[in-house]
């Protein structure tokens, strides 16, 4: 056996089987190609409203037709012993129902971000998991990304380099393209639940929370100007700041009207850690600045998707809460509700 760059996968029968619900852009372009890099999980079933697409994808990934379900036959997945985990990759407001259906079928749940549209929905999802005695994890892949983990270490870990963290910055932006089917539902309140904040601003929010390692106590927000497109029922931009118990302040923005902004940064008394891009799938740049020195840190062999799947499988095996649990998803939804409340009412909102 030569020295291994990455550990061998577990034998097939020891891996957990994952059913993917929703064959949209994220499932087809990122999850299906990266799932085989997981040591502990493998593809076990597909659930889709489009039978032709589901059959084509199943054939491509060597999955038998009996493991293909549609939205009506889904509940039969309870009898499918090859499926341990249901991964929900549907529009945001569908997350709660599908989580509850999956728990009712006796499966563990991995659910995409944002966890749900409201705090009440998140709480119902957590309660359903407890009743079913199954695990619930939210697809916060960046929390498993070695670049983001190294940034945390530089800010507040054993290798901390920037002194006292004072200011965190989170900026996420992209153009909402209504001619693209994956953005059509994102413009609709009843499917998206919220606007740019729910879709991409959540990376800024979650990012500054894990970089600083503390919870905000107060938020102040304002909406940014809209495009005027009549189809867009949700906010297209919001800027907000958050206070943290240590005295650190975070300044964040989220926008559907700027192209390709993807940044997290923490400025401390002795230096600055910058991730730009911070939360992309395959390219991240990590820079440590101290005085006049700028060090670019490069980490080889990273697959945040595989690391996320492996964490869920380990949590199930060890019967513990996974990192990025339902409680973590709920925290972000609660803060996002407060951000909207602050922007609507023109005043700060306490989170304590
Ligand atoms: P998408 O539009 O490409 O896919 C959505 C899927 O849901 C499609 O297959 C669509 O057919 C299906 N669907 C079922 N009912 C629908 C309805 N009533 N209206 C619209 N579509 C319906 O979207 P996506 O980009 O794949 O996003 C899916 C989920 O994944 C969202 O919750 C999103 O926030 C999340 N996501 C996460 C990441 C990440 O990096 N973690 C990246 C992209 C998307």
């Amino acid at each position: 056996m030569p020295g291994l760059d990455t550990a061998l996968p577990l034998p097939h029968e020891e891996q957990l089987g994952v059913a993917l619900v929703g064959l949209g852009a994220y499932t087809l372009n990122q999850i299906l190609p990266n799932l085989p890099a997981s040591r502990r999980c493998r593809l076990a079933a597909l659930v889709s409203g489009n039978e032709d697409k589901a059959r084509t994808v199943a054939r491509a990934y060597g999955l038998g037709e009996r493991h293909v379900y549609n939205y009506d036959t889904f509940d039969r997945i309870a009898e499918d012993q090859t499926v341990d985990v249901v991964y929900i990759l549907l529009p945001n407001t569908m997350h709660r129902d599908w989580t509850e259906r999956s728990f009712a079928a006796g499966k563990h749940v991995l659910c995409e971000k944002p966890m749900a549209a409201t705090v009440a929905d998140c709480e119902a999802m957590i309660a359903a998991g407890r009743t079913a005695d199954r695990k619930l994890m939210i697809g916060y892949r960046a929390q498993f990304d070695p670049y983001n983990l190294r940034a945390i270490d530089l800010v507040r870990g054993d290798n901390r380099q920037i002194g006292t963290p004072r200011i965190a910055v989170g900026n996420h932006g992209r153009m909402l393209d209504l001619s693209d089917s994956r953005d059509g539902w994102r413009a609709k309140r009843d499917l998206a639940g919220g606007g740019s904040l729910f879709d991409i601003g959540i990376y800024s929010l979650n990012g500054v929370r894990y970089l600083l390692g503390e919870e905000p106590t107060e938020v102040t927000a304002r909406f940014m100007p809209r495009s005027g497109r009549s189809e867009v029922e949700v906010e297209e931009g919001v800027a907000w700041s958050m206070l943290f118990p240590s005295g650190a302040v975070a300044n964040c923005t989220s926008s559907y009207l700027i192209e390709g902004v993807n940044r997290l940064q923490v400025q401390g008394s002795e230096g600055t850690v910058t991730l730009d891009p911070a939360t992309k799938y395959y390219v991240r740049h990590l820079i440590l600045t101290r005085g006049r020195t700028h060090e670019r840190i490069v980490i080889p062999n990273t697959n945040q998707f595989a690391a996320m799947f492996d964490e869920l499988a380990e949590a199930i095996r060890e019967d513990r809460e996974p990192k990025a649990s339902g409680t973590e998803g709920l925290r972000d939804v609660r803060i996002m509700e407060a951000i909207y409340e602050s922007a609507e009412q023109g005043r700060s909102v306490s989170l304590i």
Side-chain angles (χ1 to χ4, degrees):
M1 183 76 79
L4 294 171
D5 293 336
T6 47
L8 290 174
L10 292 184
H12 190 268
E13 63 281 6
E14 289 176 34
Q15 291 180 320
L16 296 188
V18 179
L20 304 180
V21 187
L23 297 182
Y26 189 53
T27 308
L28 294 180
N29 295 317
Q30 318 307 335
I31 297 305
L32 277 163
N34 282 292
L35 182 47
S38 164
R39 285 195 68 220
R40 299 178 180 279
C41 293
R42 66 184 154 72
L43 179 66
L46 297 175
V47 186
S48 170
N50 181 329
E51 280 184 29
D52 285 345
K53 180 166 62 171
R55 253 190 243 116
T56 304
V57 175
R59 263 202 307 280
Y61 282 92
L63 199 65
E65 284 211 7
R66 68 180 190 288
H67 300 297
V68 176
Y69 300 84
N70 61 41
Y71 299 149
D72 297 324
T73 62
F74 171 79
D75 300 314
R76 293 213 303 258
I77 213 163
E79 278 90 56
D80 190 335
Q81 301 303 322
T82 68
V83 174
D84 303 287
V85 174
V86 175
Y87 186 1
I88 297 157
L89 297 121
L90 293 167
N92 306 337
T93 55
M94 300 171 76
H95 292 177
R96 175 183 170 174
D97 279 355
W98 280 90
T99 295
E100 290 175 340
R101 280 180 84 173
S102 305
F103 282 139
K107 308 300 181 186
H108 302 282
V109 173
L110 177 55
C111 176
E112 258 315 314
K113 48 54 63 177
M115 180 172 172
T118 65
V119 163
D121 283 352
C122 296
E123 287 172 343
M125 292 160 74
I126 292 170
R130 289 216 181 100
T131 305
D133 194 21
R134 296 287 145 202
K135 306 298 178 202
L136 171 59
M137 180 170 167
I138 309 303
Y140 284 120
R141 56 180 172 75
Q143 292 198 13
F144 305 93
D145 165 44
Y147 278 94
N148 279 267
L149 292 171
R150 182 71 66 86
I152 293 170
D153 192 35
L154 293 171
V155 171
R156 59 183 175 90
D158 292 342
N159 299 307
R160 61 183 64 192
Q161 297 283 329
I162 64 164
T164 306
R166 304 240 191 254
I167 297 171
V169 179
N171 308 122
H172 279 79
R174 69 177 185 86
M175 291 301 291
L176 187 76
D177 178 0
L178 296 175
S179 66
D180 188 330
S181 71
R182 67 183 148 174
D183 277 356
W185 66 262
R186 284 176 162 91
K188 303 290 169 205
R189 183 168 296 284
D190 62 343
L191 287 167
S196 73
L197 176 63
F198 269 52
D199 189 33
I200 51 176
I202 191 170
Y203 294 109
S204 291
L205 170 58
N206 198 253
V208 298
R209 285 183 48 241
Y210 59 68
L211 284 170
L212 294 175
E214 50 180 345
E215 296 302 325
T217 54
E218 187 183 302
V219 59
T220 311
R222 69 174 55 197
F223 293 123
M224 297 199 289
R226 305 177 57 86
S227 65
R229 293 177 288 186
S230 60
E231 305 92 318
V232 184
E233 301 169 358
V234 295
E235 61 57 32
E236 291 169 281
V238 58
W240 74 100
S241 64
M242 296 183 286
L243 298 183
F244 289 83
S246 66
V249 173
N251 289 322
C252 301
T253 52
S254 165
S255 175
Y256 271 157
L257 295 172
I258 49 179
E259 189 44 62
V261 175
N262 188 303
R263 179 187 308 121
L264 291 170
Q265 186 178 68
V266 182
Q267 302 162 14
S269 54
E270 293 165 27
T272 297
V273 167
T274 305
L275 279 160
D276 189 356
T279 58
K280 291 205 166 201
Y281 303 136
Y282 306 108
V283 182
R284 276 86 70 216
H285 288 167
L286 173 59
I287 309 280
L288 172 64
T289 309
R290 285 167 55 89
R292 288 197 197 133
T293 62
H294 297 267
E295 183 190 350
R296 165 108 185 259
I297 295 165
V298 177
I299 306 172
N301 295 335
T302 63
N303 187 318
Q304 56 190 313
F305 305 95
M308 176 180 76
F309 283 116
D310 287 344
E311 159 62 11
L312 177 57
E314 279 178 55
I316 291 169
R317 186 167 57 92
E318 295 166 7
D319 191 20
R320 61 167 170 80
E321 277 287 278
K323 187 176 170 186
S325 66
T327 309
E328 171 75 354
L330 165 64
R331 280 195 193 115
D332 277 347
V333 172
R334 180 172 282 138
I335 299 167
M336 292 194 297
E337 283 191 351
I339 289 170
Y340 283 157
E341 184 187 337
S342 171
E344 275 155 18
Q345 301 194 357
R347 59 171 177 82
S348 298
V349 171
S350 170
L351 293 163
I352 325 178

